[in-house]
Amino acid sequence: MQALTILRPGEAALTDKPVPVPGPGEVAIDLAFVGYCGSDLTSYRGLNPLVSYPRVPGHEISGTIAELGAGVDTLAIGTAVTVLPYFNCGTCRACRSGRANACPNNQTMGVQREGAMTGRVVVPAAKVIPVTGISQRDLALVEPCAVGFHAVRRAELKAGETVVVLGCGMIGLGVILGALRQGAKVIAVDLSDAKLEVAKKLGAHEVINASTDVRARVAERTGEGPDVVVEAVGAEATFLQAVDLVATAGRVVYIGYAKAPIAYETKIFITKELDIRGSRNALRSDFDDVIDELRKRPDAGDLIVTRTATLDEAAEALADWHARPGDFTKILVKF
């Protein structure tokens, strides 16, 4: 079978791979759609320190169970599924405390291990999530949305609170959906009017173009500031902006990775008595919440997906995303 492989920074092509066979406790999945993640783009750009080359990317997965390994009796061939693509060690402090998403030994499909940008993958049965009531296209949106939902969980966001979401890419849109599910008021900020329009159609109460005076406009809408700010960009400016915007005694959650060390005015943390929290990957419970929400929002996929490519077009789509990142929110590869 063929797989899209990032051969080296800036070069991706189709390569031949053997068709995998499930062993005991494993499941073979025929892929329907696989989404490109921001980590795939950084791998293509040579900026992902966790990746070695060549690497098959892809961990945003939808497909159908094709074959069951020995001992798998809780799943059925033909079932539509998505996959929990994180492989944690199970023994470290994070794993023992129920936060396997933060495992320091984690290996994510398409990053530290081979991904799903190919016709068939084999994964442990425990990583397979059977799903009904959602199209195969939208199943490929579950994992990136779950990353946003996990940030909302980390924020402990409550009904009636206000959250500012910095960045309306795929992860930021997941935050917006998760925050709305909690009954929060959402203010979305981005440089792209097109992405802000998507955020508004998904339900954001207010949208602000980041080229304007964001601090003044947030103050107009919140008075003392928002209860929570979620940073989903990964830029120095937005890392600093998050602590500036949030209300006294508020919470800041970081999802994005800044590309270089950042210097803070640390007295802001103390004088505002802020809670600063990181958010990494997602838990199975976040996946379950997203699945429930997408069943209620069949319009979400139409708003979020900006391009669908075939496997033959996958390398070109990745190169186009690299060249014009602002033009795309979510690229899916259809098998």
Side-chain angles (χ1 to χ4, degrees), residues 265-281:
E265 179 59 70
T266 54
K267 73 177 183 182
I268 297 175
F269 299 167
I270 298 164
T271 57
K272 282 189 170 184
E273 197 174 51
L274 300 180
D275 290 338
I276 309 292
R277 303 175 184 182
S279 183
R280 181 185 180 191
N281 295 336

Side-chain angles (χ1 to χ4, degrees), residues 34-287:
V34 177
Y36 274 129
C37 172
S39 64
D40 300 324
L41 181 59
T42 56
S43 297
Y44 180 77
R45 290 173 165 174
L47 301 175
N48 192 336
L50 302 177
V51 167
S52 59
Y53 302 94
R55 173 67 70 227
V56 176
H59 56 256
E60 302 173 0
I61 294 168
S62 76
T64 303
I65 294 177
E67 190 176 351
L68 302 174
V72 179
D73 54 12
T74 58
L75 298 166
I77 291 174
T79 301
V81 297
T82 188
V83 171
L84 195 69
Y86 322 119
F87 289 73
N88 58 297
C89 70
T91 60
C92 70
R93 184 179 186 277
C95 291
R96 295 195 310 272
S97 63
R99 295 172 67 174
N101 60 298
C103 172
N105 305 304
N106 173 72
Q107 292 191 344
T108 298
M109 293 177 67
V111 183
Q112 297 96 335
R113 59 169 60 201
E114 294 293 70
M117 202 63 73
T118 185
R120 176 177 287 196
V121 293
V122 166
V123 298
K127 300 293 182 181
V128 178
I129 304 174
V131 184
T132 59
I134 300 178
S135 70
Q136 285 280 7
R137 182 199 66 176
D138 291 356
L139 264 180
L141 304 178
V142 171
E143 192 276 342
C145 282
V147 174
F149 272 50
H150 187 70
V152 171
R153 186 185 299 273
R154 291 283 295 140
E156 298 183 278
L157 192 61
K158 304 176 185 66
E161 291 189 316
T162 298
V163 57
V164 169
V165 182
L166 300 177
C168 295
M170 181 67 239
I171 304 302
L173 296 179
V175 174
I176 290 169
L177 287 172
L180 292 170
R181 180 180 173 88
Q182 294 300 111
K185 180 179 179 180
V186 177
I187 300 173
V189 181
D190 200 282
L191 281 167
S192 166
D193 285 332
K195 291 183 178 180
L196 289 174
E197 184 63 23
V198 173
K200 192 170 184 178
K201 289 179 178 178
L202 286 175
H205 299 88
E206 302 277 351
V207 297
I208 299 173
N209 191 290
S211 65
T212 64
D213 188 341
V214 174
R215 184 177 187 181
R217 295 185 64 183
V218 168
E220 289 172 5
R221 288 155 175 77
T222 64
E224 295 180 292
D227 304 282
V228 173
V229 176
V230 179
E231 199 282 342
V233 178
E236 178 180 2
T238 46
F239 261 68
L240 296 172
Q241 187 178 48
V243 298
D244 181 50
L245 292 176
V246 73
T248 298
R251 286 103 67 199
V252 173
V253 178
Y254 290 117
I255 311 174
Y257 286 86
K259 309 303 183 290
I262 295 173
Y264 281 94
E265 179 59 70
T266 54
K267 73 177 183 182
I268 297 175
F269 299 167
I270 298 164
T271 57
K272 282 189 170 184
E273 197 174 51
L274 300 180
D275 290 338
I276 309 292
R277 303 175 184 182
S279 183
R280 181 185 180 191
N281 295 336
L283 296 166
R284 171 62 190 265
S285 54
D286 301 309
F287 276 66

